Amino acid sequence: MRPLGVRVDDWLKDSDEVGPSWLTVDLAIFTVRDDQLMVLLVERGLEPFYGMPAMPGGYVQKNETLREGALRELAEEAGIDGSRLHLEQLGTYADPGRDPRGRVVTVAYLALGPDLPAPVGGTDATRAFWAPVAHVEDGRLGLAFDHRAILTEALEEVRRKLEYTAAATAFCGETFTLTDLRTVYQVIWGQQLDPSNFRRKVLNTTGFVQPTGEQWLPPTGRPAALYRRGQAWLLNPPLMRAETPGQQS
Amino acid sequence: MRPLGVRVDDWLKDSDEVGPSWLTVDLAIFTVRDDQLMVLLVERGLEPFYGMPAMPGGYVQKNETLREGALRELAEEAGIDGSRLHLEQLGTYADPGRDPRGRVVTVAYLALGPDLPAPVGGTDATRAFWAPVAHVEDGRLGLAFDHRAILTEALEEVRRKLEYTAAATAFCGETFTLTDLRTVYQVIWGQQLDPSNFRRKVLNTTGFVQPTGEQWLPPTGRPAALYRRGQAWLLNPPLMRAETPGQQS
DNA sequence: CGCACTTATGGTCGCATCAACCATAACTGT
DNA sequence: ACAGTTATGGTTGATGCGACCATAAGTGCG
């Protein structure tokens, strides 16, 4: 399982210094479930790191774009149809030594989705499951490769995206109440928001949400209006979170 | 110049679908000069696209990180020491067919620097020069590969970064006046800003800039206080530009 | 020197926005 | 009818911002 057997003939004049690499995608897929931010993990079914949790991903095939590869791996490893998720490139990790098999370049994708069906294991992964990000952040759950570092960067990106874009709607279903949307912010930012002020800010931001005219009847309490996401992606003004006291830089 | 001669033995079970790829970095390096936003380009000295302008870049060597490769190419192709620039990953481009030689994966880096010394050509590039981004945007200047698309995304990123981060200070030298900083915003956003209000916003944003106590004597007019960049990178509140009327999305 | 010119810096005022808070509406179950 | 619960709407005091004006501190020139 090492890249032996590979020869590069006369590829470049200075080719001693340049070698082939293998291209993979990894997906950081988040959802909000049970008032917790969850990330999709698989238990690896191959060496290296056999049996260890990892983000879903795998090799990009010859005639695929990166996005196509990401969607295929998502379907294969977790049985999830990603065509309705928000999928976005996060960054590329290529440090020599990050993969014991050689120069493996991985492009990390960020995906946000509503509370998705319980994932099922596929071919390369024996098991797929949702894990609370808190368990990874505090080290209770170890990940293969450099996936913990990737996840940390993905989390920062998600938290920032909530401020400046309508990304929060990607965590909700087709239609949602403002309380649903507010819950997303509260869970991801870990702080309470005033329902009344939240409502005013969201409705005053043109193109953020769009009323459907329908209502949702909760088990108890007043019925809530339903909305769907608007056409705007960038929010201005942004929905800033209150600066947690003691934060620097 | 095609990836012939490459054999992959027993690499994966489904290895017919997976092949090796070649890893490159490309750099979108911006500076402000003569009240214009400029991008560093080189004239290609190799096929394909021989003689055509392109962003500097090249193959990543076997034991390099991406960042190291980017810095090396910058030095080789343009004679610029990038260790004092702000360098940041922008995105990865890997569509099959983007490079006629085969699967070439390029990681685009974004770099911002103060008015830099006139670049000199290196080994792979016959000539390096600063070009106004306007000339590329309006199509007067064509670029090799998919570099025009990469540049377009880099520009969007730069404009957004000015709002939410202290990136503008990266365009200034070690010390600068508030007018220098304001000029950066005006050039990149293409709109005039009120000196007085700009001053108030910058100085009220904690950690954005830091007074040196020194002064700068302009050829005419009152002396201006000099500042250096503060320790903050994320600005809050952000320095929003006025929404240009008629913008949608 | 006195003066025009130029640029930096500082202040004022009216308007919009926001967070904290209170009030009301509309449903459920007892 | 009434308490409990959740959604929605309004008020208010403080803050921030844009447009605009005023002053400070240099230069060069007669």
Side-chain angles (χ1 to χ4, degrees):
Chain A
M1 280 300 182
R2 300 271 217 76
L4 304 174
V6 173
R7 292 187 309 130
V8 179
D9 298 332
D10 186 31
W11 168 239
L12 280 177
K13 303 298 173 284
D14 54 339
S15 61
D16 275 352
E17 303 293 337
V18 175
S21 48
W22 275 262
L23 180 62
T24 65
V25 286
D26 285 309
L27 291 104
I29 306 167
F30 295 101
T31 196
V32 171
R33 189 203 278 259
D34 301 333
D35 284 357
Q36 274 189 311
L37 182 62
M38 310 286 254
V39 61
L40 186 68
L41 298 178
V42 298
E43 198 171 283
R44 281 183 62 79
L46 294 172
E47 289 292 349
F49 297 103
Y50 182 92
M52 189 172 281
M55 301 193 310
Y59 290 91
V60 179
Q61 295 179 354
K62 277 180 184 169
N63 287 305
E64 263 178 345
T65 65
L66 292 171
R67 186 186 185 82
E68 286 163 0
L71 290 174
R72 179 183 49 74
E73 288 291 341
L74 188 54
E76 282 181 15
E77 294 207 344
I80 290 179
D81 170 24
S83 58
R84 296 178 58 199
L85 277 70
H86 173 75
L87 198 65
E88 175 179 329
Q89 212 184 91
L90 181 68
T92 298
Y93 300 79
D95 281 2
R98 67 168 290 276
D99 189 309
R101 291 168 294 186
R103 171 74 89 167
V104 178
V105 178
T106 199
V107 181
Y109 272 81
L110 179 64
L112 314 177
D115 194 352
L116 295 157
V120 295
T123 54
D124 290 355
T126 54
R127 203 165 70 93
F129 58 99
W130 292 108
V133 293
H135 289 192
V136 182
E137 277 187 308
D138 65 16
R140 249 185 294 179
L141 197 61
L143 299 187
F145 302 107
D146 50 0
H147 284 191
R148 186 173 190 236
I150 295 176
L151 189 67
T152 299
E153 291 196 25
L155 274 171
E156 285 175 27
E157 184 66 15
V158 170
R159 297 203 171 102
R160 272 174 33 87
K161 275 217 177 308
L162 284 203
E163 297 190 324
Y164 304 130
T165 73
T169 59
F171 286 105
C172 300
E174 187 64 30
T175 65
F176 49 86
T177 67
L178 292 182
T179 299
D180 293 337
L181 191 64
R182 182 166 47 86
T183 301
V184 170
Y185 280 91
Q186 292 181 158
V187 166
I188 295 179
W189 285 349
Q191 63 186 218
Q192 294 296 112
L193 298 174
D194 181 86
S196 176
N197 293 335
F198 180 81
R199 172 192 187 73
R200 181 165 38 92
K201 279 169 86 165
V202 169
L203 295 184
N204 282 344
T205 305
T206 56
F208 193 174
V209 297
Q210 185 179 344
T212 67
E214 312 214 327
Q215 296 216 134
W216 183 75
L217 286 112
T220 172
R222 175 173 172 174
L226 282 171
Y227 297 83
R228 58 170 48 92
R229 62 171 131 268
Q231 72 286 2
W233 181 248
L234 268 52
L235 301 184
N236 60 353
L239 247 173
M240 305 291 288
R241 55 185 144 170
E243 46 203 320
T244 44
Q247 112 182 348
Q248 201 67 350
S249 153
Chain B
M1 279 298 180
R2 300 271 216 75
L4 304 174
V6 173
R7 292 185 309 128
V8 180
D9 302 330
D10 186 33
W11 167 241
L12 281 177
K13 304 300 174 282
D14 54 340
S15 60
D16 275 353
E17 304 293 337
V18 176
S21 46
W22 276 262
L23 181 62
T24 64
V25 286
D26 285 308
L27 291 104
I29 305 166
F30 295 102
T31 197
V32 172
R33 189 204 277 259
D34 299 333
D35 284 356
Q36 272 189 312
L37 183 61
M38 310 286 253
V39 62
L40 186 68
L41 298 179
V42 298
E43 198 171 283
R44 281 184 62 79
L46 294 172
E47 290 290 350
F49 298 102
Y50 181 92
M52 188 172 281
M55 301 192 309
Y59 289 90
V60 179
Q61 295 180 353
K62 277 179 182 168
N63 287 306
E64 265 179 343
T65 65
L66 293 171
R67 186 186 185 83
E68 287 162 0
L71 291 174
R72 179 182 48 74
E73 289 291 342
L74 188 54
E76 283 181 15
E77 294 207 343
I80 289 180
D81 171 24
S83 59
R84 296 178 57 197
L85 278 69
H86 173 74
L87 199 65
E88 176 179 327
Q89 212 184 91
L90 180 69
T92 298
Y93 299 78
D95 281 3
R98 68 168 289 278
D99 189 309
R101 292 168 294 186
R103 171 74 89 167
V104 178
V105 178
T106 199
V107 181
Y109 272 80
L110 178 64
L112 313 177
D115 194 350
L116 295 158
V120 294
T123 53
D124 290 355
T126 54
R127 203 165 71 94
F129 59 98
W130 292 108
V133 294
H135 289 193
V136 182
E137 277 187 307
D138 65 18
R140 249 185 294 179
L141 197 61
L143 299 186
F145 302 108
D146 49 0
H147 284 191
R148 184 171 192 237
I150 295 176
L151 189 68
T152 299
E153 291 196 26
L155 273 171
E156 284 175 27
E157 183 69 13
V158 170
R159 298 204 171 101
R160 271 175 33 88
K161 275 216 177 309
L162 284 203
E163 297 191 324
Y164 303 131
T165 73
T169 59
F171 286 104
C172 301
E174 187 64 30
T175 66
F176 48 87
T177 67
L178 292 183
T179 299
D180 293 337
L181 190 64
R182 184 166 47 86
T183 302
V184 170
Y185 280 91
Q186 292 181 155
V187 166
I188 295 179
W189 285 350
Q191 61 186 218
Q192 294 296 112
L193 299 174
D194 181 86
S196 175
N197 293 334
F198 180 80
R199 173 191 186 75
R200 188 166 31 123
K201 280 169 84 164
V202 169
L203 295 183
N204 282 344
T205 304
T206 56
F208 192 175
V209 298
Q210 184 180 342
T212 67
E214 312 213 327
Q215 295 216 135
W216 183 75
L217 286 111
T220 172
R222 176 173 171 175
L226 282 171
Y227 298 83
R228 58 170 46 92
R229 64 171 131 268
Q231 72 287 2
W233 181 248
L234 268 52
L235 301 183
N236 59 354
L239 247 174
M240 305 292 287
R241 56 184 144 172
E243 46 202 320
T244 45
Q247 112 181 346
Q248 202 65 351
S249 147

